[in-house]
Amino acid sequence: MARNCKEKRSFGSTARRWWKENVVYQIYPRSFCDSNGDGVGDLNGIRSKLGYLKELGIHILWLSPVYKSPNDDNGYDIADYRAIMDEFGTMEDFDALLAEAHQMGIKIVMDLVVNHTSDEHQWFVESRSSRDNDKRDYYIWREAVDGHEPNNWGSCFSGSAWEWDETTGMYYLHCFSKKQPDLNWENPKVRDEVFDMMTWWCEKGIDGFRMDVISMISKKEGLPDGPVEGLYSPCMYGTCNGPHVHEYLQEMNRRVLSKYDLMTVGETAGVTVEEAKKYANAEGTELNMVFQFEHVGLDEGPGGKWSITPMSIPALKENLTKWEKELDGVAWNSLFFCNHDQPRVVSRLGDNSPQSAKCIATMLHFMQGTPYVYQGEELGMTNCPFGSIEDYRDIESINAYRELTEAGLRQPEELLECIAYKSRDNARTPMQWDDSPNAGFTTGQPWIMVNPNYTTINAAAELADPDSVFNYYKQIIALRQDSKWSDVIVYGSYDLLAPEAGRSAASEVPLDGNEAVFAYTRHREGRSPGSAARRQKDGVTLLVVCNLSDQARTFPVPENVQWDSAELVTGNVPQADLTLTRELALAPWQAAVWALN
Ligand code: GLC
Ligand code: CA
């Protein structure tokens, strides 16, 4: 398992790595497949679907947390890092899943949640028991200040980020729920414990870590008050990209990561391009890649997460292009729209139609970076028509609703509309396997409602339909592995085309004219020795054109594009329907990729 450490590597965009060449499929185990009828997905359920994932062409799975947890935040509150959650099965089930996945050529990346633990973790149970317990400094304890919380930080899940603990008469910090106390990374013993635990999993043979809110582990010196938004100062201000975060990750890399051949991705909320260049630097001293959120913040209104503004396509193009250009050759990015914390992209950027799902997939998967598919995205699964607040299960949505309506800051109906659009529960409804009751997810009562559209959107129907969203995903995933294209798709440079095409100053009218057309090229030089001109000529250029709107559009094709030799690589409209001209006519949600040679 341990690899030769002398082999010093560069991870720049030209260095070949398996975690660049594959697509990652994320599983939210609670909602994927229930094998025993208790209404909760589980490890044996996942194992029973490996064939489905193989069919899709997946070689890397990221599992959201499967560890022992009281489930205040569905497993992101871990009570024992070396045990499996009772509802999900046993360690034997995990070992069987890992072995079978490996036999099928599928790697497994584990969620690593070490910014915080559960308050039911043994470390916290001891830490809170007395002021002089050995584990007291494993967490962040502070005295009250004038009978109040030590600072004005708010938790990401509403309320103060501090909880008063009666036993010892002090506050502890929790950036998420009060059942998720933050670990004190300044304490070297905490780092030893975390690194030992990671080594234990690596020795078991897992293939990597997705690191939960890893940009938040080093808090600002002195925990100062921050700027207030609403009732508190969002704790992100005092925790993201803190003073020691890179030092801690470099230590982690030296002591654990560098000893194995892993995929490591940091969930880096609040990361800037400059910071990302450090987290995912090409020298490989920290992590392989970042997973950042700027583009999914573009439909946030002035009131933050629970206010909505339409996603502006020019802003989206500009933002994604910035990340493409800035990281090229110096760091590596993740390509995603969906995960377990995001609403469904087909309901957000698309119009719920299969064509829009395919168009968005094309736009994303042909950029430089590692693409992620979140369970059900490959079926075009949509947001769920939740009714009242009682339909929700997510602590973030429920707490926000309570806090904002009770404080009189928002009207219930209006807030519910925003929650329906943005809630994380949209991603967490059960996977839609077939049109049998409960979408074939469980024979019991599912823990959260099933989206009623499962009768038409489901895996069984889509596997059988050559034109389905599933089969489109399968095709673009296969192209990434096709020796003819993989080089340019994975390693090619990126250029946005005609960014200003039809772009009016009115970004409030996002779908106005050609600005909804997202077009770019990817280019990879040939490898033949000889002149640069020769390599340019031997190279491959892809032209990707996506009409991100439900209206017909045109796209002004640049003069240097030679249609006569263009080859259609993929698209969601048949070749016969394409007329290649300087003013390319695009159907609603049309996407196409050509090779220009
Ligand atoms: C990350 C996870 C999210 C979780 C939070 C706290 O953002 O993706 O689901 O609630 O961290 O662990
Ligand atoms: Ca179950």
Side-chain angles (χ1 to χ4, degrees), residues 239-309:
T239 59
C240 284
N241 312 313
H244 304 292
V245 66
H246 298 291
E247 200 183 296
Y248 297 153
L249 289 176
Q250 286 162 23
E251 182 184 350
M252 178 194 283
N253 185 296
R254 272 195 313 276
R255 292 179 55 187
V256 186
L257 307 177
S258 59
K259 306 201 162 119
Y260 303 88
D261 180 19
L262 301 173
M263 172 181 134
T264 55
V265 47
E267 189 203 21
T268 44
V271 75
T272 56
V273 159
E274 287 317 309
E275 282 292 323
K277 290 179 186 172
K278 300 185 203 158
Y279 285 110
N281 69 73
E283 287 70 47
T285 59
E286 297 188 19
L287 307 176
N288 296 155
M289 63 183 112
V290 290
F291 195 96
Q292 59 80 28
F293 298 90
E294 276 187 5
H295 60 302
V296 288
L298 294 174
D299 56 358
E300 230 166 62
K305 169 144 189 175
W306 306 112
S307 65
I308 301 165
T309 191

Side-chain angles (χ1 to χ4, degrees), residues 22 35 63 147 194 242 262 400 413 430-431 439 456 499 508:
N22 285 285
S35 71
L63 301 184
V194 169
L262 301 173
E413 290 75 55
M431 179 71 178
T456 50
E508 320 78 76

Side-chain angles (χ1 to χ4, degrees), residues 313 317 359 494-503 512-522 541-549 551-563 578-594 596:
I313 306 297
K317 289 194 260 187
C359 183
Y494 163 100
D495 281 292
L496 183 66
L497 282 189
E500 70 298 326
R503 182 168 156 193
D512 177 37
N514 287 325
E515 64 189 2
V517 177
F518 196 154
Y520 57 87
T521 52
R522 298 292 306 285
T541 302
L542 296 181
L543 168 65
V544 182
V545 181
C546 300
N547 174 10
L548 292 172
S549 91
Q551 308 289 312
R553 303 284 179 195
T554 58
F555 176 67
V557 179
E559 286 304 322
N560 57 353
V561 169
Q562 297 302 321
W563 279 133
L578 300 171
T579 312
L580 305 179
T581 62
R582 289 286 141 215
E583 273 300 306
L584 194 64
L586 298 167
W589 302 114
Q590 180 170 347
V593 180
W594 287 275
L596 307 172

Side-chain angles (χ1 to χ4, degrees), residues 26 28 62 64-65 73-77 111 113-116 156-157 175-177 180 210-213 216 267 269 293 339-341 394-396 424 428:
Q26 185 194 349
Y28 196 66
W62 148 26
S64 274
D73 184 20
N74 290 350
Y76 283 91
D77 49 321
D111 220 308
V113 188
V114 289
N115 173 69
H116 45 267
C156 298
F157 293 161
C175 288
F176 295 89
S177 101
Q180 292 168 297
R210 173 269 183 185
M211 303 187 187
D212 193 68
V213 291
M216 293 171 68
E267 189 203 21
F293 298 90
N339 78 1
H340 64 294
D341 296 329
D394 177 22
I395 182 170
E396 184 196 37
R424 310 194 296 181
R428 300 176 180 186

Side-chain angles (χ1 to χ4, degrees), residues 29-30 33-36 38 40-47 65-69 71 82-97:
R30 197 169 199 78
C33 179
D34 174 20
S35 71
N36 62 351
D38 66 354
V40 176
D42 46 51
L43 295 176
N44 288 334
I46 297 173
R47 186 146 67 94
V66 297
Y67 316 95
K68 193 173 176 63
S69 165
N71 284 309
R82 300 182 200 212
I84 297 295
M85 189 191 302
D86 295 337
E87 287 170 308
F88 289 177
T90 62
M91 194 55 84
E92 288 68 49
D93 296 335
F94 179 84
D95 293 340
L97 172 63

Side-chain angles (χ1 to χ4, degrees), residues 49-254:
K49 297 296 185 187
L50 288 175
Y52 168 85
L53 297 166
K54 178 105 191 152
E55 171 75 23
L56 184 58
I58 296 299
H59 298 285
I60 307 175
L61 291 182
W62 148 26
L63 301 184
S64 274
V66 297
Y67 316 95
K68 193 173 176 63
S69 165
N71 284 309
D72 196 49
D73 184 20
N74 290 350
Y76 283 91
D77 49 321
I78 297 171
D80 184 346
Y81 290 103
R82 300 182 200 212
I84 297 295
M85 189 191 302
D86 295 337
E87 287 170 308
F88 289 177
T90 62
M91 194 55 84
E92 288 68 49
D93 296 335
F94 179 84
D95 293 340
L97 172 63
L98 185 65
E100 196 167 323
H102 282 173
Q103 263 162 31
M104 295 172 75
I106 298 175
K107 295 180 188 283
I108 295 192
V109 169
M110 302 293 280
D111 220 308
L112 181 77
V113 188
V114 289
N115 173 69
H116 45 267
T117 68
S118 163
D119 65 337
E120 298 182 30
H121 193 290
Q122 189 56 33
W123 299 338
F124 191 74
V125 172
E126 289 180 39
S127 182
R128 85 188 323 174
S129 68
S130 74
R131 286 185 177 220
D132 55 13
N133 184 276
D134 285 0
K135 303 237 166 18
R136 186 64 169 179
D137 289 335
Y138 273 39
Y139 296 86
I140 300 171
W141 293 96
R142 290 292 181 276
E143 300 284 358
V145 174
D146 302 330
H148 291 289
E149 288 79 6
N151 69 22
N152 66 356
W153 295 3
S155 137
C156 298
F157 293 161
S158 304
S160 167
W162 295 95
E163 181 71 8
W164 175 252
D165 199 51
E166 279 301 334
T167 319
T168 55
M170 282 174 82
Y171 284 97
Y172 65 86
L173 180 70
H174 60 90
C175 288
F176 295 89
S177 101
K178 61 182 184 216
K179 287 183 66 62
Q180 292 168 297
D182 280 53
L183 282 165
N184 175 18
W185 274 73
E186 289 184 13
N187 182 346
K189 285 195 207 138
V190 166
R191 303 203 297 276
D192 289 347
E193 297 263 20
V194 169
F195 300 157
D196 282 355
M197 175 273 283
M198 291 172 70
T199 301
W200 186 85
W201 280 99
C202 290
E203 288 299 321
K204 217 179 215 316
I206 60 138
D207 304 289
F209 296 106
R210 173 269 183 185
M211 303 187 187
D212 193 68
V213 291
I214 202 70
S215 53
M216 293 171 68
I217 58 176
S218 169
K219 316 317 186 205
K220 244 188 199 162
E221 221 69 67
L223 312 181
D225 279 346
V228 174
E229 285 170 18
L231 300 171
Y232 300 92
S233 174
C235 64
M236 312 291 284
Y237 291 133
T239 59
C240 284
N241 312 313
H244 304 292
V245 66
H246 298 291
E247 200 183 296
Y248 297 153
L249 289 176
Q250 286 162 23
E251 182 184 350
M252 178 194 283
N253 185 296
R254 272 195 313 276

